[in-house]
Amino acid sequence: MKSLHSFLFLCLIGSLLACEESQEEEKKFLYMGPAMTVDDLNISYSDSGRVVVKMSTAKQLKMQNEDEVYPKPVYINFINREGVEYSSLRADSGKYIKKDNYYKVMGNVFFYNREAQQSLSTNELIWDPNKKIVHTDKKVQVNTPSDQIVGNGMEASQDFSKYKFTGAITGFFEVDSLITQPDSNSRALQP
């Protein structure tokens, strides 16, 4: 009888230790990858029942903390009150930071406003939807029909109708006419 009690006691201790070990093993592995992956994403944002922005990208990764990562090129089109696309943006990649509610696009960022015939080139651009502004602290080039301005740092309204440089302007050129459309043969701005 004594040996049966000893055996049961040892089995109980062994199973408790086994449970404790598997709980320790579970604690060691914490998955930090995407909670969801979406291919060929197309999103429309509306304001007062009217589509104002359309975004598309080949891949979206929704992370555990609800941030979003766009590892492939991102395309954003801005729509005016008449339903006409008036501005567009293209970047190599992007992300959305949920906690702070802002979007960041990176790599060969090119923004073009058809109505104003203005373009912007930079390597990083941040959009704050609450303040309705875009900004960067990186090198930026703005082309208008008559000027080319190069500087460090810029802030603009989200439709690019108003902008100001926040850092030093390193180049200003008045010209008769500038091409504001992207040139696939030109090199991207270097930081």
Side-chain angles (χ1 to χ4, degrees):
M1 191 69 162
K2 190 175 184 182
S3 65
L4 181 62
H5 286 291
S6 297
F7 176 76
L8 290 174
F9 179 73
L10 287 175
C11 287
L12 179 64
I13 295 289
S15 59
L16 287 174
L17 289 175
C19 288
E20 195 173 318
E21 283 179 22
S22 47
Q23 286 177 354
E24 283 181 27
E25 287 178 25
E26 288 177 22
K27 290 180 186 176
K28 289 179 186 176
F29 180 73
L30 180 62
Y31 179 71
M32 296 301 292
M36 180 174 65
T37 301
V38 177
D39 291 329
D40 299 321
L41 178 71
N42 290 294
I43 298 174
S44 295
Y45 297 93
S46 61
D47 184 11
S48 303
R50 181 179 63 82
V51 173
V52 292
V53 177
K54 290 182 179 181
M55 183 186 107
S56 63
T57 185
K59 184 174 286 294
Q60 175 198 46
L61 307 173
K62 187 112 176 189
M63 308 309 284
Q64 301 290 327
N65 62 358
E66 297 187 32
D67 287 357
E68 297 171 6
V69 176
Y70 312 105
K72 303 278 184 175
V74 176
Y75 301 92
I76 302 172
N77 299 309
F78 299 87
I79 315 298
N80 67 16
R81 293 196 177 281
E82 291 77 40
V84 176
E85 177 190 309
Y86 68 91
S87 291
S88 59
L89 180 139
R90 186 250 176 241
D92 290 343
S93 63
K95 61 174 126 177
Y96 170 66
I97 308 301
K98 171 128 176 125
K99 181 183 99 177
D100 299 322
N101 190 33
Y102 72 85
Y103 291 83
K104 181 192 291 189
V105 288
M106 294 95 45
N108 299 311
V109 179
F110 185 81
F111 182 83
Y112 179 63
N113 183 320
R114 283 178 188 74
E115 291 176 345
Q117 293 293 302
Q118 295 176 331
S119 68
L120 172 141
S121 300
T122 187
N123 281 320
E124 180 181 278
L125 197 60
I126 297 169
W127 174 44
D128 183 330
N130 292 332
K131 295 180 182 176
K132 298 186 178 185
I133 61 167
V134 294
H135 62 92
T136 185
D137 61 355
K138 307 294 184 206
K139 184 176 181 179
V140 62
Q141 177 177 317
V142 174
N143 292 335
T144 71
S146 60
D147 300 319
Q148 182 180 67
I149 308 163
V150 179
N152 294 312
M154 187 216 62
E155 183 176 297
S157 58
Q158 69 183 10
D159 65 357
F160 198 49
S161 59
K162 299 175 191 162
Y163 64 89
K164 67 179 180 180
F165 285 86
T166 55
I169 293 177
T170 58
F172 180 84
F173 308 97
E174 288 186 42
V175 292
D176 291 334
S177 177
L178 281 174
I179 297 173
T180 57
Q181 296 277 346
D183 180 1
S184 60
N185 295 324
S186 69
R187 293 178 42 155
L189 273 176
Q190 299 300 315

